[in-house]
């Protein structure tokens, strides 16, 4: 599986998820050059180990498992992966 950040992140980019991810799968981090340029953060599906830590700290409730992404956020699955290709 993997976890996915949806567009509910847009306007917040709180980045609490970046701090708690044990495998550094969420980018860009606030200290990264790309942080200001993106509208939201993304999870690398190749690195995510499904620990659930990011989902629980997100104040926007923007993070879902790939299997539970709401239908109106389905494009987020592809967009998270595309950020890393
Ligand atoms: S579920 Fe865990 S490993 Fe996957 S992105 Fe979130 S914090 Fe990182």
């Amino acid at each position: 599986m993997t976890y996915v950040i949806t567009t509910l992140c847009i306007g917040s980019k709180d980045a609490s998820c970046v701090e708690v991810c044990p495998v550094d799968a969420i980018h860009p981090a606030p200290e990264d050059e790309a942080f200001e340029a993106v509208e939201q953060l993304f999870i690398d599906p190749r690195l995510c180990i499904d620990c659930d830590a990011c989902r629980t700290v997100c104040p926007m409730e923007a993070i879902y498992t790939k299997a539970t992404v709401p239908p109106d956020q389905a494009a987020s699955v592809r967009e998270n992966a595309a950020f890393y290709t």
Side-chain angles (χ1 to χ4, degrees):
M1 200 169 46
T2 184
Y3 278 58
V4 174
I5 301 178
T6 65
T7 59
L8 297 172
C9 178
I10 294 174
S12 172
K13 293 196 296 185
D14 174 79
S16 295
C17 55
V18 175
E19 297 173 24
V20 300
C21 181
V23 293
D24 194 25
I26 306 175
H27 299 275
E31 63 271 23
D32 293 341
E33 194 172 319
F35 185 79
E36 293 302 325
V38 298
E39 289 192 306
Q40 68 163 85
L41 308 187
F42 302 96
I43 293 173
D44 188 337
R46 301 167 301 181
L47 297 180
C48 177
I49 58 171
D50 304 333
C51 75
D52 201 46
C54 57
R55 187 190 62 78
T56 62
V57 298
C58 179
M60 306 307 291
E61 299 184 357
I63 304 177
Y64 294 82
T65 67
K66 183 178 177 181
T68 61
V69 170
D72 66 345
Q73 295 285 338
S76 294
V77 176
R78 176 177 46 79
E79 289 165 0
N80 276 244
F83 183 77
Y84 296 97
T85 57

